[in-house]
Amino acid sequence: MNPRAGGIRTPDQRLRVFVSSTLKELAPERRAVRAAIEQLGLAPVMFELGARPHPPRELYRAYLAQSDIFVGLYAERYGWVAPGEEVSGLEDEYRLAPTELPKLVYVKEAAGAREPRLAELLARIRDDDGVSYVSFTGPDDLAALVRDDLTTLLAERFALTSAAAAPEAS
């Protein structure tokens, strides 16, 4: 799927799904999404995978560059803005996701008010016609949506690839 990867994939090279969200606010949802991705035999790419000796921005930029699909999870919080930065890691991940990556965005129905900067980000995401955008109510609902959407996305990509590879009829 990732055109930069190219070539033949060996069995150990599963499609990588980058998951972006605030960590604490959506912890149960992140666990549910991880399980849904793994049930499909795909590889979740998440910050919980451990500390690395690199600055966070450099790390998620590298993770994004090696990913095949972007999944964004949003609720009420915009996230932390690091000193010297103008946007949170949450917004930066969305901005840095390569344009060719399929983007699946899930927004939790808010129990309270969304932070203003998150509301602004979500408005921009809604206006992006290259993004699939849907709301969810909780971890189980989200897991089902992610599983179904990834399955559909893979089927669509497979159909496009198969059609492009098919010889033209005489």
Side-chain angles (χ1 to χ4, degrees):
M1 292 195 53
N2 185 337
R4 291 160 293 155
I8 298 171
R9 288 184 186 257
T10 60
D12 62 319
Q13 295 176 310
R14 296 182 297 155
L15 291 177
R16 298 166 51 92
V17 181
F18 184 92
V19 180
S20 174
S21 78
T22 53
L23 295 178
K24 291 180 184 175
E25 175 188 32
L26 293 170
E29 287 81 0
R30 290 177 67 82
R31 285 190 297 275
V33 166
R34 173 194 292 277
I37 292 167
E38 289 173 342
Q39 286 170 358
L40 294 172
L42 307 178
V45 178
M46 307 174 83
F47 255 51
E48 294 92 334
L49 296 179
R52 303 287 187 271
H54 308 286
R57 189 168 200 257
E58 187 178 313
L59 187 60
Y60 60 74
R61 183 183 296 250
Y63 283 0
L64 279 163
Q66 297 172 40
S67 294
D68 301 290
I69 301 167
F70 176 92
V71 170
L73 311 175
Y74 306 99
E76 296 175 5
R77 303 206 31 135
Y78 176 70
W80 180 67
V81 179
E85 298 294 334
E86 296 189 17
V87 298
S88 70
L90 188 72
E91 181 167 351
D92 202 31
E93 289 170 351
Y94 179 77
R95 287 179 175 185
L96 290 172
T99 55
E100 67 271 10
L101 283 190
K103 293 183 184 87
L104 305 175
V105 170
Y106 303 90
V107 181
K108 188 171 186 178
E109 293 178 5
R114 285 199 171 86
E115 291 180 353
R117 291 194 71 181
L118 179 61
E120 292 169 13
L121 173 60
L122 291 175
R124 287 194 307 276
I125 291 171
R126 270 191 300 269
D127 292 342
D128 184 345
D129 62 356
V131 176
S132 170
Y133 183 103
V134 67
S135 64
F136 69 94
T137 56
D140 293 338
D141 177 38
L142 176 61
L145 288 167
V146 169
R147 214 172 17 257
D148 291 348
D149 291 346
L150 287 173
T151 301
T152 300
L153 175 66
L154 295 173
E156 288 172 351
R157 295 293 166 125
F158 180 77
L160 288 173
T161 302
S162 295
E168 290 186 34
S170 306

